[in-house]
């Protein structure tokens, strides 16, 4: 939502009421001379706003594709099915657009319990048992589930703490980004600014730019340690540059584009290019709307003629 404010031509206030969108998410990964493209879609549906100006959303992460293909290894597909079990996930977001809470944890636990029973009929083996045990631990713990959610690139960027009032982002924030699989996120500090969007007339452009400031040395990062002895000679380096585009009269970000890099003292280098964009042609419906649509479709279909039989 935009308003006139003093000498400023445009200002922005986070107000995603009635938001119903599907976003495309593309991650282009480059490491050790190899490249990989990961893409999927995320539905974001506004649920309600409370008296404290907090917003509630339902988020549904869909099928993941790797290099434009479905996972071609049985275990990878199983892992993907397990991971998607936490969705739809319902979250509470602050008035400044920051993730605060998971509000349907009990529902997710029940969903996983039912899903595991189904999967166990088709998948067997030691690796499968280990995967199920890890999922049990993760989903049973609110803290662990929140940690998993905060590693999702879409969640971290779409609900980035960029807002601090009318069109004025916080000057500096820390971001924790998932740069290494199965490890803790890496810490980056970024400065933020907002300008008019030169491409989309009447829109705004937020920008985050900064560097890796993780205090853990390479050994602690790879071991997954929270703390470190702080061997300065072995600290990681990296850069981050992300742009957030808000088109005219849009309640939230329409497009997020940028890159993030990580370089370890051993010579390991990884770069991730990110693009998140509003799929305008795919209007997302709420559960109630999908139900009503199905009812109307059934009403339109011709009813079968009655047939009589002796049996």
């Amino acid at each position: 939502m935009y308003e006139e404010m003093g000498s400023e031509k445009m200002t922005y206030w986070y107000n995603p009421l009635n938001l119903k969108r599907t976003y495309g998410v593309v991650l282009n990964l480059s490491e050790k001379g190899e490249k990989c493209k990961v893409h999927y879609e995320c539905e974001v549906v506004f649920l309600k706003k409370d008296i404290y100006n907090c917003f509630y959303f339902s988020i549904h992460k869909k099928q993941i594709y790797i290099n434009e293909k479905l996972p071609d290894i049985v275990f990878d597909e199983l892992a993907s099915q397990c991971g998607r079990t936490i969705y739809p996930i319902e979250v509470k977001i602050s008035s400044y657009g920051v993730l605060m809470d998971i509000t349907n944890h009990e529902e997710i636990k029940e969903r996983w319990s039912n899903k595991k029973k189904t999967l166990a009929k088709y998948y067997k083996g030691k690796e499968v048992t280990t995967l199920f045990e890890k999922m049990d631990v993760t989903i049973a713990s609110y803290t662990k589930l929140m940690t998993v959610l905060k590693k999702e690139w879409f969640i971290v960027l779409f609900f980035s703490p960029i807002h601090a009032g009318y069109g004025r982002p916080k000057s500096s924030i820390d971001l924790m980004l998932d740069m290494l699989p199965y490890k803790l996120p890496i810490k980056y500090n970024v400065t933020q600014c907002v300008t008019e969007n030169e491409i989309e007339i009447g829109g705004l452009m937020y920008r985050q730019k900064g560097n890796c400031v993780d205090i853990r040395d390479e050994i602690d990062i790879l071991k997954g340690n929270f703390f470190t002895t702080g061997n300065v000679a072995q600290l990681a380096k990296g850069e981050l540059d992300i742009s957030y585009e808000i088109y005219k009269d849009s309640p939230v970000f329409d497009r997020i584009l940028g890159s993030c890099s990580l370089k370890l003292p051993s010579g390991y280098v990884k770069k991730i290019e990110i693009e998140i964009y509003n799929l305008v042609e795919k209007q997302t419906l709420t559960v109630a709307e999908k139900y009503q649509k199905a009812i109307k479709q059934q009403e339109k279909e011709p009813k079968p003629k009655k047939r009589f039989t002796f049996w």
Side-chain angles (χ1 to χ4, degrees), residues 22 40-43 60-64 84 87 282:
T22 297
Y40 54 91
E41 293 181 2
C42 258
E43 291 183 353
H60 185 196
K61 181 180 180 180
K62 299 185 179 181
Q63 175 68 56
I64 295 175
R84 293 202 309 275
Y87 296 93
K282 292 189 176 183

Side-chain angles (χ1 to χ4, degrees), residues 168-186:
R168 296 183 180 279
K170 295 180 180 179
S171 60
S172 176
I173 63 166
D174 290 331
L175 289 178
M176 304 298 293
L177 300 173
D178 185 29
M179 294 298 292
L180 299 171
Y182 313 113
K183 307 297 180 184
L184 294 174
I186 306 296

Side-chain angles (χ1 to χ4, degrees), residues 143-153 156 174-189 212-218 220-227 236 260-262 264 270 272:
T143 301
K144 290 183 182 297
L145 188 59
M146 181 65 88
T147 299
V148 169
L149 193 61
K150 288 182 176 180
K151 292 185 72 176
E152 288 282 351
W153 279 87
V156 172
D174 290 331
L175 289 178
M176 304 298 293
L177 300 173
D178 185 29
M179 294 298 292
L180 299 171
Y182 313 113
K183 307 297 180 184
L184 294 174
I186 306 296
K187 186 177 182 179
Y188 292 78
N189 179 262
C212 174
V213 293
D214 207 297
I215 63 172
R216 297 171 297 159
D217 59 31
E218 180 173 356
D220 288 307
I221 288 175
L222 297 180
K223 284 185 176 181
N225 295 337
F226 284 97
F227 305 103
C260 185
S261 66
L262 175 69
L264 300 180
K270 184 172 186 178
I272 299 180

Side-chain angles (χ1 to χ4, degrees), residues 124-141:
K124 305 291 183 181
K126 186 177 180 179
E127 286 186 329
V128 174
T129 300
T130 300
L131 176 61
F132 285 173
E133 289 175 349
K134 288 183 178 179
M135 284 293 296
D136 286 339
V137 172
T138 298
I139 289 183
S141 168

Side-chain angles (χ1 to χ4, degrees), residues 45-109:
V45 178
F46 170 82
L47 299 176
K48 65 178 182 179
K49 179 181 179 180
D50 65 21
I51 60 174
Y52 304 104
N53 291 323
C54 292
F55 304 95
Y56 296 77
F57 297 91
S58 172
I59 300 171
H60 185 196
K61 181 180 180 180
K62 299 185 179 181
Q63 175 68 56
I64 295 175
Y65 295 86
I66 301 174
N67 294 328
E68 308 291 348
K69 298 179 181 179
L70 291 169
D72 57 0
I73 299 175
V74 174
F75 187 78
D76 288 345
E77 173 55 27
L78 172 61
S80 177
Q81 288 192 52
C82 290
R84 293 202 309 275
T85 304
I86 70 172
Y87 296 93
I89 192 166
E90 295 178 5
V91 295
K92 177 181 178 181
I93 306 298
S94 77
S95 58
Y96 291 147
V98 180
L99 175 65
M100 297 178 65
D101 189 17
I102 296 172
T103 60
N104 66 332
H105 187 205
E106 293 302 317
E107 176 189 320
I108 292 171
K109 288 194 288 187

Side-chain angles (χ1 to χ4, degrees), residues 11-25:
T11 54
Y12 172 75
W13 186 258
Y14 185 70
N15 188 33
L17 296 179
N18 301 316
L19 181 74
K20 294 182 294 183
R21 287 185 178 180
T22 297
Y23 284 87
V25 181

Side-chain angles (χ1 to χ4, degrees), residues 133-305:
E133 289 175 349
K134 288 183 178 179
M135 284 293 296
D136 286 339
V137 172
T138 298
I139 289 183
S141 168
Y142 173 89
T143 301
K144 290 183 182 297
L145 188 59
M146 181 65 88
T147 299
V148 169
L149 193 61
K150 288 182 176 180
K151 292 185 72 176
E152 288 282 351
W153 279 87
F154 177 81
I155 300 294
V156 172
L157 297 183
F158 192 77
F159 297 113
S160 176
I162 199 169
H163 306 288
Y166 279 106
R168 296 183 180 279
K170 295 180 180 179
S171 60
S172 176
I173 63 166
D174 290 331
L175 289 178
M176 304 298 293
L177 300 173
D178 185 29
M179 294 298 292
L180 299 171
Y182 313 113
K183 307 297 180 184
L184 294 174
I186 306 296
K187 186 177 182 179
Y188 292 78
N189 179 262
V190 298
T191 56
Q192 304 189 135
C193 65
V194 59
T195 61
E196 290 187 45
N197 192 327
E198 296 180 356
I199 299 176
E200 291 289 332
I201 299 175
L204 294 178
M205 177 81 77
Y206 283 80
R207 190 176 186 185
Q208 295 175 331
K209 193 171 183 179
N211 300 289
C212 174
V213 293
D214 207 297
I215 63 172
R216 297 171 297 159
D217 59 31
E218 180 173 356
I219 294 176
D220 288 307
I221 288 175
L222 297 180
K223 284 185 176 181
N225 295 337
F226 284 97
F227 305 103
T228 185
T229 54
N231 186 345
V232 178
Q234 295 295 313
L235 296 183
K237 296 181 180 180
E239 297 179 347
L240 173 71
D241 191 351
I242 306 287
S243 295
Y244 300 75
E245 298 181 16
I246 305 172
Y247 300 160
K248 183 175 175 58
D249 298 324
S250 178
V252 294
F253 303 123
D254 292 278
R255 187 166 180 253
I256 303 173
L257 184 67
S259 64
C260 185
S261 66
L262 175 69
K263 183 177 182 179
L264 300 180
S266 63
Y268 173 88
V269 177
K270 184 172 186 178
K271 183 176 182 179
I272 299 180
E273 295 179 342
I274 311 104
E275 183 176 10
I276 299 171
Y277 51 95
N278 178 19
L279 294 169
V280 180
E281 71 278 9
K282 292 189 176 183
Q283 182 179 6
T284 301
L285 302 178
T286 64
V287 173
E289 288 172 334
K290 288 179 180 178
Y291 176 76
Q292 291 299 325
K293 184 178 180 180
I295 294 297
K296 290 181 180 179
Q297 182 63 34
Q298 289 179 1
E299 293 175 348
K300 291 180 181 179
E301 294 177 356
K303 293 180 173 55
K305 295 180 179 179

